[in-house]
Amino acid sequence: MELHITPQLMQTSAASQALEDYLARLPLSPEQRRELAARAGAIGSGDPVADLHRVLAQASGRDAGDTGPAGDASAAQASIDARLALLYPAAAESTDVSGAPGASAPAVGEDRGQPHIAVAPPLNRKSMVPRPWGELNPFARWVEEENRRLERRPSRWRRKKAKAVEPEHPAEPHYVEDHLDKSDAPDPKGHWQRTGNLRRITLLVLMVLQTSMATYFMSDVLPYHGTKPLEMLVLGLFALLFLWVSAGFWTAMTGFLVLMRGDDEYLISHEKAGNKDIAPDARTAIVMPICNEDVARVFAGLRATYESLERTGQLEHFDFFILSDSGEADICAAETAAWAALCRETGGFGRIFYRHRRRRVKRKSGNLDDFCRRWGADYRYMVVLDADSVMTGECLTKLTRLMEEHPGAGIIQTAPRAAGRDTLYARIQQFSTRVYGPLFTAGLHYWQLGESHFWGHNAIIRLKPFMKHCALAPLPGRGNLSGPIMSHDFVEASLMRRAGWSVWIAYDLDGSYEEMPPNLLDELSRDRRWCQGNLMNFKLFLARGMHVVHRAVFVTGVMAYVSAPLWALFLLLSTVLLAAHTLIDPQYFTSPRQLFPIWPEWHPEKALALVSATATILFLPKILAVLLFAVKGARGFGGALALFVSMVIELLFSMALAPVRMLFHTRFVLGAFLGWNAGWKSPPRADNETGWGEAMRRHGWHSLLGVVWGAAVYWLNPSFIWWLIPIAGSLAVSVPVSVLSSRVTFGRGFRRAGLFKIPEETTPPFELLETVRHFNETPALPGFVEAVVDPSFNALVCATAHAHPAVPQLTQHLREKLVRTALKDGPDALNDKQKNSLLEEPGLLSQLHQAVWSGAPEVHADWRAALGQLPPQALAA
């Protein structure tokens, strides 16, 4: 039957044109467009787009309401079902609101009478309560415990009375710390403890002996051999800093020996899990917390991980969760679009879930806690990914099998390999971590065993003990180093071990990848947060029940940043010492009735020997790492010669950056103690380059300090300038080094020359190639404006949000005011909080969507421009 278009639709009015444009943006065939236009024109209310919504609503069996403003709003919201049916034809036939795992279309159900797509599984709430830290002062804790012992000594008659009324089941301990006396782990002591204690005592002896010898030789270098107060202070700083360097040296040396031997009896993957079938109830949630990230890169990496896991044939044991804390409205909208596209292209509806928190508390740790409380009881394990993480399916299934084989393991941490960046700075860092990193991770495992590190991502966690023992209470006290914990990973590992569950590093496990910061300034921005977090964690050094190894981890975390101001102070005092001996006449008689003078002695040859020994301790691990790969095969690094040349350049580059990092870290430490806010911003996930202006603002004072410092030492004693050139010279050239090292062209140039190559570049893993391919093929993702104006995307965003129809009258009035403001003043008049309020409320978003398309005079010009930029939809299949 032929459908005749009514005279009203033949008119070239703005409203009629809006209807044609709206239909062009829906996935319809020409016949469907003509039929819908005719049916909308038959209503004839004067607003053809509103009439179209009524037609669509009637087709899906919903009541579109009466005509008029209220009716228009309800019609736009009632047409969501029909628009979703056009976008996902298979969804219209599904009635399972939870979705079928592996579906290519979402299941559309209802939520409070409104169409809704289940973006997450049904809630299964369990508690995850953070326990107070108790008294952190050991003396005050001892007094408190003695008082508690006195309270437990009642008189005989009170004891008899207590027995008479004693309940069948004992009550919960009165003090929270009493929970630490019992463990639910199968091996709380740890079968490795005897061996671990012997290894750790050996490490401590080696460090102390080496530091004592170096300090003794340092005293010989000083003019008065450490008898003056200033020299004593210099010697004390030298001893502390050398002890820190010695710890890294012996860790790397041990790692070298372990890797040369090729095995360690206590390696967590020593007992091969093989290809055993994963138990049906051993379900694993792969969670990725994100916050204002590069959406295309995040979902490209997640898709590569998902497809790799699918190829193993074990996908049925895993679910994926994207846990968003994003606050920028455009990013929130893009995340919804990327999630829907990922599920559609992989058939992941019902297996890939998306959760956006409205109320962001405790940052990443709070995001994970929120997941655990909602769905943690549904899974036995949880694999945590970072926003730039990529893991192979073989690695993920191996982690699950390892947890099954080791029932006492609470956390197994992989050693992620850095790859994927093209800037010179990032490529040098990738080379450094790939060549030197294995020595340190193997050495860490040798000393730590079941009390290892946890870096917060690319690791598997046993959920039941994690939820029971690892909820993080705020740190007590006031000031910048109290309150919610920033660096949660070290603390969670220590709590897991305190509860009797082991923490391991599976450093030999392949298939775990991450990305490095693209330039020096971005890395230092990340370090600022880590600095404050590690300083906060040190307050737990004396907390009750912590294992001695994790107490040492808190110390090393602090020293990683506190060593910078200590080095700066050491260099400053050394300069002051030089000035004192140059400008002040020496004192040969320093005490009354002294018979013999004290002659100041300078021994340049001893100083040179000490510097050479220190350089050997610093650089020998790197040389041994290169030797290790040269022996075991350097083809992945471009050959032995390219590997050696890359190491030499990396040594010079790290020497040039060391003074700059020292000054930045010194400022970070001072800022943490002085209360400067460290902020929290997600790092860039692309090859971000540093401009000359930004480098001058951040490094200009470094260059000035290097020039002035060098000139002052040259004026005091020209012969000492050669000792200071590595430091002052590096500061003087910090601006060009920072800028040029951030350039992609230089990074690719070195790669063409065969330098700083890593195996992940020589023979790229398939998952990394797929990540790049998916990223390059990702179209421009829609933002907030598209969520308002695009018919299909608007329906998707409305359906993934939760409706809140029953609100107070004042709230409803404010909502309507927000819609009017957005309509009249345009999207730029709204802040992210207001935009998110619209995205999170389907009624408001659909109302604004309808109003923008109405063609009314009050519609802002930016909305009209956005309507004109929408591309037409492809014809329905």
Side-chain angles (χ1 to χ4, degrees):
M1 182 180 70
E2 184 177 358
L3 296 174
H4 298 281
I5 300 178
T6 59
Q8 292 87 344
L9 294 177
M10 297 293 293
Q11 298 175 359
T12 58
S13 63
S16 178
Q17 185 63 42
L19 175 61
E20 295 180 10
D21 292 341
Y22 196 95
L23 288 170
R25 269 69 182 184
L26 290 173
L28 298 166
S29 65
E31 293 77 9
Q32 289 173 319
R33 290 195 181 101
R34 286 194 294 269
E35 180 180 358
L36 288 174
R39 294 176 61 186
I43 297 178
S45 69
D47 188 345
V49 175
D51 295 340
L52 175 63
H53 282 293
R54 296 187 182 92
V55 171
L56 293 173
Q58 292 170 1
S60 59
R62 290 193 177 271
D63 183 10
D66 299 327
T67 58
D72 292 348
S74 62
Q77 190 168 359
S79 70
I80 293 175
D81 292 88
R83 286 183 277 156
L84 286 175
L86 295 174
L87 185 61
Y88 300 105
E93 303 173 2
S94 177
T95 58
D96 181 10
V97 296
S98 64
S104 59
V108 181
E110 285 200 3
D111 177 41
R112 300 172 187 176
Q114 302 298 328
H116 180 66
I117 293 176
V119 296
L123 293 180
N124 185 10
R125 290 189 179 274
K126 297 293 181 181
S127 64
M128 186 175 178
V129 181
R131 295 171 179 166
W133 294 108
E135 182 58 60
L136 298 180
N137 186 317
F139 178 75
R141 187 165 62 238
W142 175 79
V143 172
E144 181 180 298
E145 289 177 352
E146 289 300 316
N147 291 334
R148 288 161 61 180
R149 288 192 182 96
L150 291 175
E151 293 175 4
R152 293 168 180 170
R153 297 176 181 174
S155 60
R156 291 182 178 179
W157 69 270
R158 294 176 63 184
R159 193 177 300 132
K160 292 179 180 179
K161 183 178 180 181
K163 288 183 179 180
V165 297
E166 185 176 0
E168 182 179 355
H169 299 287
E172 283 290 314
H174 182 67
Y175 294 92
V176 174
E177 291 182 348
D178 289 342
H179 286 278
L180 304 180
D181 297 333
K182 295 182 180 180
S183 174
D184 52 358
D187 184 17
K189 297 293 184 182
H191 62 276
W192 61 89
Q193 285 303 316
R194 181 180 175 83
T195 302
N197 291 336
L198 291 175
R199 292 181 178 184
R200 295 154 193 166
I201 292 174
T202 303
L203 172 64
L204 185 60
V205 170
L206 291 173
M207 291 167 52
V208 171
L209 287 177
Q210 191 177 44
T211 302
S212 300
M213 293 176 60
T215 306
Y216 172 77
F217 285 113
M218 180 65 182
S219 66
D220 271 355
V221 172
L222 297 175
Y224 292 98
H225 307 303
T227 58
K228 295 286 187 178
L230 185 59
E231 291 185 352
M232 292 180 184
L233 185 56
V234 170
L235 273 179
L237 286 172
F238 177 84
L240 180 60
L241 292 169
F242 198 93
L243 188 68
W244 167 246
V245 173
S246 180
F249 171 77
W250 289 113
T251 298
M253 290 296 293
T254 306
F256 172 75
L257 296 176
V258 170
L259 293 177
M260 282 295 290
R261 188 176 61 183
D263 194 13
D264 183 355
E265 60 178 320
Y266 289 99
L267 191 61
I268 186 67
S269 55
H270 186 267
E271 299 176 8
K272 304 301 181 183
N275 293 320
K276 297 180 181 179
D277 290 336
I278 300 175
D281 57 343
R283 295 191 51 76
T284 301
I286 300 175
V287 302
M288 177 181 281
I290 58 176
C291 180
N292 296 324
E293 302 283 353
D294 182 344
V295 179
R297 168 59 186 85
V298 167
F299 281 83
L302 193 65
R303 178 174 177 179
T305 301
Y306 180 91
E307 292 174 341
S308 178
L309 186 58
E310 188 176 30
R311 287 191 292 271
T312 66
Q314 301 292 327
L315 183 61
E316 62 190 34
H317 302 290
F318 297 84
D319 285 336
F320 286 72
F321 287 81
I322 302 106
L323 308 176
S324 173
D325 265 350
S326 300
E328 298 181 19
D330 286 331
I331 292 180
C332 293
E335 288 172 357
T336 301
W339 167 79
L342 174 63
C343 294
R344 182 180 65 251
E345 293 166 4
T346 62
F349 285 107
R351 196 177 300 282
I352 303 176
F353 303 108
Y354 173 75
R355 153 76 171 156
H356 180 256
R357 284 203 302 172
R358 289 190 175 188
R359 187 168 175 262
R360 180 187 175 194
V361 293
K362 295 174 60 178
R363 302 184 178 92
K364 182 179 177 180
S365 65
N367 203 353
L368 291 174
D369 290 354
D370 179 77
F371 163 79
C372 291
R373 293 188 182 99
R374 288 170 172 265
W375 302 290
D378 294 336
Y379 302 93
R380 184 178 295 177
Y381 308 117
M382 171 177 69
V383 175
V384 183
L385 301 182
D386 219 348
D388 56 5
S389 297
V390 176
M391 295 185 73
T392 65
E394 190 66 29
C395 181
L396 290 169
T397 55
K398 177 73 170 180
L399 284 174
T400 303
R401 292 188 177 104
L402 286 176
M403 287 296 255
E404 292 286 276
E405 289 292 318
H406 298 84
I411 300 175
I412 301 179
Q413 171 71 62
T414 66
R417 295 174 179 174
R421 293 288 196 212
D422 282 333
T423 65
L424 177 60
Y425 181 86
R427 295 200 66 246
I428 292 176
Q429 299 306 308
Q430 288 172 180
F431 172 83
S432 177
T433 58
R434 188 64 174 87
V435 177
Y436 317 139
L439 266 69
F440 288 94
T441 52
L444 279 176
H445 176 269
Y446 184 84
W447 302 122
Q448 295 178 338
L449 296 180
E451 290 84 30
S452 288
H453 278 71
F454 169 49
W455 295 313
H457 60 91
N458 292 45
I460 189 168
I461 300 173
R462 195 178 299 271
L463 270 170
K464 187 175 181 180
F466 182 82
M467 294 172 61
K468 183 177 181 180
H469 304 290
C470 297
L472 302 181
L475 289 175
R478 297 181 179 179
N480 206 38
L481 299 181
S482 302
I485 292 175
M486 293 182 66
S487 295
H488 60 96
D489 37 22
F490 286 4
V491 181
E492 288 166 347
S494 65
L495 292 177
M496 185 70 82
R497 187 66 193 105
R498 186 174 77 166
W501 298 86
S502 57
V503 181
W504 297 89
I505 295 180
Y507 63 84
D508 62 330
L509 201 57
D510 295 328
S512 177
Y513 307 101
E514 63 175 349
E515 291 181 349
M516 298 296 293
N519 57 65
L520 174 62
L521 293 180
D522 286 335
E523 181 187 88
L524 291 170
S525 177
R526 179 195 65 182
D527 283 354
R528 184 176 182 181
R529 299 194 310 271
W530 287 3
C531 174
Q532 182 167 334
N534 286 346
L535 292 175
M536 293 175 65
N537 293 348
F538 188 69
K539 297 181 71 173
L540 300 175
F541 174 71
L542 295 174
R544 181 172 179 261
M546 296 295 185
H547 195 279
V548 63
V549 174
H550 282 121
R551 297 187 196 274
V553 169
F554 291 146
V555 173
T556 57
V558 168
M559 281 300 297
Y561 296 97
V562 173
S563 60
L566 293 179
W567 276 115
L569 181 59
F570 175 78
L571 295 172
L572 176 63
L573 291 177
S574 300
T575 305
V576 172
L577 190 63
L578 173 64
H581 288 289
T582 303
L583 303 177
I584 301 175
D585 293 334
Q587 296 179 3
Y588 303 102
F589 297 90
T590 58
S591 61
R593 300 178 182 180
Q594 182 177 331
L595 296 180
F596 302 100
I598 297 178
W599 303 97
E601 300 174 335
W602 293 95
H603 297 283
E605 70 284 356
K606 292 184 178 181
L608 183 61
L610 182 62
V611 169
S612 300
T614 305
T616 301
I617 291 175
L618 290 173
F619 300 143
L620 182 59
K622 297 186 176 183
I623 297 173
L624 291 177
V626 170
L627 177 62
L628 177 68
F629 282 107
V631 170
K632 295 199 170 185
R635 185 175 181 181
F637 299 93
L641 179 60
L643 179 61
F644 177 77
V645 174
S646 299
M647 180 201 70
V648 173
I649 299 176
E650 190 278 332
L651 287 178
L652 297 175
F653 185 73
S654 61
M655 290 172 60
L657 292 184
V660 178
R661 287 196 177 103
M662 176 188 69
L663 293 182
F664 269 108
H665 289 177
T666 300
R667 192 177 70 178
F668 297 161
V669 172
L670 294 177
F673 283 108
L674 295 176
W676 301 343
N677 185 18
W680 189 276
K681 184 179 180 181
S682 298
R685 306 294 178 186
D687 288 319
N688 189 32
E689 297 185 347
T690 303
W692 287 99
E694 183 181 10
M696 284 298 299
R697 288 191 299 271
R698 305 291 296 276
H699 298 292
W701 70 280
H702 299 158
S703 300
L704 180 61
L705 176 62
V707 172
V708 172
W709 194 359
V713 170
Y714 184 82
W715 175 73
L716 290 171
N717 191 335
S719 63
F720 278 87
I721 190 62
W722 301 106
W723 299 92
L724 193 65
I725 277 181
I727 299 172
S730 297
L731 293 175
V733 299
S734 58
V735 171
V737 168
S738 181
V739 172
L740 298 180
S741 66
S742 72
R743 294 294 184 255
V744 173
T745 53
F746 286 115
R748 292 173 178 171
F750 274 87
R751 181 166 57 194
R752 287 192 296 270
L755 299 177
F756 303 119
K757 279 191 173 182
I758 57 176
E760 286 71 25
E761 290 178 334
T762 306
T763 308
F766 183 72
E767 287 75 12
L768 295 184
L769 292 176
E770 286 292 280
T771 299
V772 174
R773 183 176 72 85
H774 293 322
F775 177 74
N776 292 333
E777 292 177 356
T778 301
L781 293 171
F784 170 76
V785 172
E786 289 78 9
V788 174
V789 301
D790 184 82
S792 298
F793 187 46
N794 174 266
L796 176 65
V797 175
C798 288
T800 54
H802 288 277
H804 299 84
V807 295
Q809 185 175 0
L810 178 60
T811 303
Q812 183 63 32
H813 173 73
L814 294 176
R815 286 180 172 184
E816 295 174 355
K817 183 179 179 181
L818 178 60
V819 172
R820 291 194 299 269
T821 301
L823 183 66
K824 295 180 180 179
D825 299 339
D828 292 338
L830 306 178
N831 57 35
D832 279 316
K833 184 177 181 180
Q834 292 172 319
K835 291 178 181 178
N836 283 326
S837 297
L838 294 171
L839 293 177
E840 293 166 355
E841 182 51 56
L844 299 181
L845 190 61
S846 58
Q847 184 179 349
L848 181 60
H849 171 73
Q850 168 60 41
V852 166
W853 278 97
S854 67
E858 64 268 18
V859 177
H860 194 271
D862 288 348
W863 294 120
R864 301 179 188 275
L867 295 177
Q869 295 172 359
L870 279 178
Q873 289 283 348
L875 297 181

